[in-house]
Amino acid sequence: MARNESLDREEKARLLRSLAFRVHRKQPCPQALDDLLGEESRGGRSRQFRDAVSRLGEEGVVPALLALDLVGGETAAVLAAVLDTNDHRLLSSALSRLAEYVEAGAG
């Protein structure tokens, strides 16, 4: 991935799947996303993730996902409601479905 390019479809799907897996394992979503972004930032890719890390700390999960362009506005609104339920199974399933959608080229 070039330094100034956005994430490609495969990378977006991989990130969403990884986040879904961590949430499924009952890791709180903000912590799971923070850990994931930290891991992804290693290897010289911190520039792509800097804004998302900042937004995660200041505004929360949904703005961080928007900063990474992993979700759009409508999806973000629905995901915010899912996050509010505090149901890790529902959130994990939603993130997995989003990954499938992105991977299929629909998103």
Side-chain angles (χ1 to χ4, degrees):
M1 179 169 79
R3 285 192 171 239
N4 292 325
E5 291 181 15
S6 64
L7 301 171
D8 66 22
R9 184 178 355 154
E10 291 82 21
E11 288 175 313
K12 288 179 183 182
R14 181 182 56 77
L15 289 172
L16 287 167
R17 273 200 179 80
S18 181
L19 183 58
F21 177 77
R22 291 164 189 254
V23 168
H24 180 76
R25 306 271 306 187
K26 296 186 179 180
Q27 186 177 16
C29 192
Q31 179 186 351
L33 185 55
D34 188 49
D35 291 350
L36 181 61
L37 293 175
E39 290 171 10
E40 292 293 323
S41 292
R42 294 184 201 118
R45 294 176 19 150
S46 63
R47 193 174 299 184
Q48 276 90 16
F49 300 102
R50 188 175 298 139
D51 187 37
V53 169
S54 174
R55 288 190 188 204
L56 178 62
E58 295 171 6
E59 302 171 41
V61 171
V62 174
L65 295 176
L66 283 165
L68 287 169
D69 196 30
L70 291 179
V71 298
E74 293 166 340
T75 304
V78 173
L79 229 121
V82 172
L83 279 162
D84 287 345
T85 66
N86 288 323
D87 183 339
H88 73 281
R89 293 169 294 178
L90 177 61
L91 180 56
S92 174
S93 179
L95 291 167
S96 293
R97 294 276 180 110
L98 283 171
E100 291 171 10
Y101 181 78
V102 168
E103 191 171 57

